[in-house]
Amino acid sequence: MIKTNHPKSLKQLHLLLVSAMLFTFSLSVEAQNNISLNDGWEFQKDNGAKEKVNLPHTWNAFDVLDDEPGYYRGLGIYKKKLNLDAAAKGKQIYLVFNGIAQESEVLVNGKPAARHIGSYTKFIVPISKFLNYTNDLIEVRANNRFNEDIPPLTADFTFFGGIYRNVSLLITEPIHFSKNDNASSGVYITTPDVSAEKASVQIRSLIDNSSTSAKKIQIHSTLINANGKAVASQISFVNVVSGELKTINQNFNSIKHPKLWSPESPYLYRVISRIIDVKTKTVLDEVSNPLGFRWFKFDAERGFFLNGKPLKIIGASRHQDYEHLGNAVPDALQIRDIELLKEMGGNFLRVAHYPQDPMILEACDRLGILASVEIPVVNTITESEAFTNNCLNMQREMIRQNFNHPSIVAWAYMNEVLLRPKFSNDKPRQQIYYDHIRELAQKLDDLTRKEDPSRYTLLVNHGAWDLYNKVGLTKIPMIVGWNLYSGWYSGMPADFAKFLDRHHKELPNTPFMVTEYGADADPRIRSFQPVRFDKSVEYAVKFHQTYLNAMLERPFVAGGMAWNLADFNSETREETMPHINNKGLLTIGRQPKDTYYLYKAYLSDKPYLKITSVQWKHRVGIADSSTSVSTQNIQVATNQKSAELFLNGKSMGTKVAVDHICDWKVPFEDGTNQLKVLSGALIDNADINFQVEPFKFSDKIPFNNMNILLGSKRYYIDEKQQQLWIPDQAYKPGAWGWIGGEPYKGTNNRILYGSDKNILETDNDPVYQTQQVGIQQFKFDVPDGEYELTLHFAELVGGDAKEALAYNLDNNHKKEVVEQRIFNVSINGQPFMQKLNLAADFGYTKAVQKKTRLTITNGKGISIGFMPIEGKPILNAIQLRKIY
């Protein structure tokens, strides 16, 4: 933060901002010249209606979630009146934009003031010469259109548009720390020598004299410890002439016994830099930067070392968007993300796949989270000079703006850039394309090493070992990152450890990290038979156990970053929760999943015990044969050797933790079930609300309602309607079930049952993504009474062909064969739906509900018949509710 403490200017600064339309407050000394401009903007899309908005703002918060493919990518126009008092004349006035997506043009009173390219870095616009100081108008024209010269070009995240980060007005004296060096603070701090005994500090300050005269100034730099005490200081006397940009170098050569910065003890100093007028003794400008004393290295054989001690890096990557907000996220919620990572026991944040809000790295500094940051060169490049220059400029901006954060240990510049190689049908041309990628990587790496020799360079690859080695991308960076999804997008979980060993064997001198790994966990989907790509939380838990074990067992693996800290928006995705990537350890609304608690059990340095299954607190299940209970699994995450579980006060026994998880088979009763788990002095409690369905309808358990997924092995929780869905079963006399047919299986090998297509006109996609194909009957042997029956259908075969996600590495789809499907449906022999043709009558992948009321007499139960006319009948789901 820059401050101006000139005693004559304080009163003037109070008078600078007089319009209630802009803001209403009194200026404090601490904030006297950096003032928020977030409120009172007028916004419209290109030729659209005008509306009042406050910043941060995005125009894509909701259209990325609808069933219409695509989202608005175009021009958005923001306007704001700025009324400044004439007392501001003679000051230097700037607009500070922390992030606008992705092409920006700033106009002041209709005159172009600046342009900026890129969604993810800050830029500062000098506006003094455009102002009239009476009724100034600020206009920002933001555009998130596709531009082949601006990365990212394609990615598994959404390119939200808007002024989506904070905006402020910055007022300085004519002589100030430079604001024109890629929006940096104008002060760069390095610690060339650090040990537990002593440390040295180098400070490079850029001084800008925008006044019309020369002046003699002091550059006063002070090192302040966490208690506010000055530890060291230096004063340099400098003459600056009008229009000069001057560089001043200062040193603190011997700081004795510095407090070291680490995840365990993130001790922060501050470097306060002041410009003082020698003649008047007034402070012209002041900036504060964090300083953490630490040293680190990556070793290809022994992993990562911090302050001379080995430290296994375990953490997560982060995307910046949030539920219902897009990427326009309030400060408190962003900071909370880093707090949640710290609470999980993580010590590393991969800021992916782009620089994020400045407060993210500030929180990492403060909480002791190591970090890497990267620019958004994702999946593919454009072979143009403009694309290369934009990449280089983004890298330079990223480094200079974030240079002083002690949390950063690596700068990255590419992510999975060979995932979608161009010219696959022209191998000679493709080789030229690969050469251009390698040349760009080398330029970015060279620039990074020149800009910041104190940190490592990082290039991140997907798991195509041979391709990245052939192109040469494993030879350029100081650290190689691997994004590995064995057992998810391809292969088996056991392949992961083999890949780690291969890198160590074939690139023995190259340090590496696992920069991504993960499995989708839709928090609404549970399974006791978890399989790859069923999106169940249970499969994700097993997946992360396998990966964590493999990395922790191998000292040469510097570390791993789970993908992702939280679920995030990806508009092109379909699957069980369309437009959302569900690999987060937290939901997109930041609710913990079972996997988050698993990480706490692995990483916590304090005794830990948690009933992870409390996340599934509303359950349903079929009663065990001829009993009144339904036995289901309960998991507890812990870093203790064992734990004992109690159900309603009765011990379920003591279990030994296997990979930090204890499992019990628990006989749940209908209603509220109280769970308690103990391990030594540790205790955790949970209430599970359980609905027991009768094994047979003649049992004493009362039947109220039943929601059944056909062709499924998973449970589904519809939180909005508070409905619990169970997997189907073959018909059992006296009970219920299907007769005839087989579960639907799509055309790709990832999914063992069901489909991952987006089901239109519903949020309950998992209800419709599985089905029984060729079904003949579905029967309920219910007693006489009044019932409501609902049949659910969706035609899963056919519709518009869509490009498969590039991330699904074994996407060897069989060609989908569309066949005519027409059938009749009857209930207890009476016609219900005749000549049902889902595709023709309703369309492909569209949710269809058909409901009816039934009076059952004479013990005949309910029998739904499916009679083929052409093709095979289907049923996706069925519900039965007893009325009387």
Side-chain angles (χ1 to χ4, degrees), residues 314-367:
I314 299 291
S317 299
R318 177 189 187 262
H319 271 297
Q320 63 186 2
D321 58 299
Y322 198 97
E323 186 175 32
H324 305 313
L325 297 173
N327 60 349
V329 181
D331 297 357
L333 293 180
Q334 299 206 61
I335 294 169
R336 181 60 181 153
D337 276 2
I338 312 306
E339 292 172 344
L340 286 165
L341 177 61
K342 184 71 174 181
E343 289 172 16
M344 186 186 81
N347 58 21
F348 198 98
L349 178 70
R350 179 187 175 209
V351 182
H353 292 299
Y354 41 79
Q356 295 177 15
D357 194 284
M359 69 188 67
I360 294 300
L361 289 172
E362 291 172 356
C364 289
D365 295 340
R366 185 171 62 253
L367 296 175

Side-chain angles (χ1 to χ4, degrees), residues 63 99 180 183 214 290 332 340 431 466 704 849 880:
D63 65 347
N180 299 319
L340 286 165
Q431 186 57 52
D466 293 330
N704 295 308
Q849 291 185 35
L880 185 66

Side-chain angles (χ1 to χ4, degrees), residues 189-202:
I189 303 166
T190 56
T191 53
D193 296 302
V194 180
S195 70
E197 289 74 35
K198 65 178 182 177
S200 63
V201 181
Q202 293 182 350

Side-chain angles (χ1 to χ4, degrees), residues 168-219:
S168 61
L169 186 73
L170 180 64
I171 304 171
T172 73
E173 295 292 338
I175 298 178
H176 53 267
F177 292 103
S178 178
K179 305 296 173 281
N180 299 319
D181 188 38
N182 295 273
S184 74
S185 70
V187 175
Y188 297 91
I189 303 166
T190 56
T191 53
D193 296 302
V194 180
S195 70
E197 289 74 35
K198 65 178 182 177
S200 63
V201 181
Q202 293 182 350
I203 304 168
R204 181 167 61 93
S205 302
L206 307 181
I207 312 301
D208 189 352
N209 183 2
S210 300
S211 72
T212 57
S213 60
K215 185 163 288 192
K216 188 173 184 180
I217 59 173
Q218 291 180 11
I219 308 302

Side-chain angles (χ1 to χ4, degrees), residues 459-657:
L459 190 155
V460 175
N461 310 319
H462 76 282
W465 175 274
D466 293 330
L467 179 58
Y468 283 94
N469 276 291
K470 178 183 176 183
V471 174
L473 296 186
T474 57
K475 309 298 191 298
I476 295 173
M478 301 167 75
I479 313 167
V480 171
W482 291 108
N483 297 345
L484 302 176
Y485 292 94
S486 301
W488 190 250
Y489 289 128
S490 63
M492 303 293 291
D495 297 333
F496 173 67
K498 297 175 183 177
F499 192 102
L500 304 181
D501 293 336
R502 182 178 184 183
H503 177 108
H504 187 53
K505 179 180 179 181
E506 298 186 26
L507 294 173
N509 299 316
T510 305
F512 76 99
M513 296 189 287
V514 183
T515 37
E516 288 183 24
Y517 62 94
D520 285 65
D522 185 330
R524 307 168 301 170
I525 293 176
R526 316 293 301 216
S527 179
F528 299 123
Q529 302 177 60
V531 294
R532 176 187 174 204
F533 248 80
D534 67 0
K535 304 303 184 77
S536 71
V537 173
E538 284 72 20
Y539 185 84
V541 168
K542 291 173 58 179
F543 182 98
H544 282 276
Q545 286 174 306
T546 300
Y547 274 60
L548 284 167
N549 291 342
M551 291 185 292
L552 293 172
E553 291 166 358
R554 290 165 169 79
F556 56 80
V557 179
M561 284 128 263
W563 187 259
N564 195 43
L565 178 63
D567 293 348
F568 59 92
N569 189 274
S570 181
E571 197 273 346
T572 57
R573 279 187 174 263
E574 297 193 339
E575 306 174 318
T576 60
M577 192 181 288
H579 318 301
I580 303 296
N581 187 317
N582 282 129
K583 293 184 185 64
L585 305 177
L586 306 165
T587 69
I588 195 169
R590 278 39 176 194
Q591 295 301 309
K593 301 181 190 178
D594 295 23
T595 45
Y596 179 84
Y597 296 126
L598 176 73
Y599 272 74
K600 290 190 76 169
Y602 267 86
L603 303 177
S604 179
D605 57 359
K606 298 178 181 178
Y608 181 74
L609 186 70
K610 179 67 177 178
I611 302 173
T612 58
S613 298
V614 72
Q615 301 305 101
W616 189 8
K617 59 185 177 183
H618 297 288
R619 295 193 180 206
V620 61
I622 306 301
D624 302 340
S625 177
S626 302
T627 71
S628 60
V629 299
S630 178
T631 299
Q632 289 189 357
N633 197 54
I634 283 290
Q635 290 190 330
V636 169
T638 184
N639 56 10
Q640 304 301 291
K641 291 182 179 180
S642 63
E644 183 177 11
L645 183 72
F646 293 83
L647 173 67
N648 298 324
K650 182 179 178 181
S651 176
M652 297 289 103
T654 298
K655 298 287 185 177
V656 174

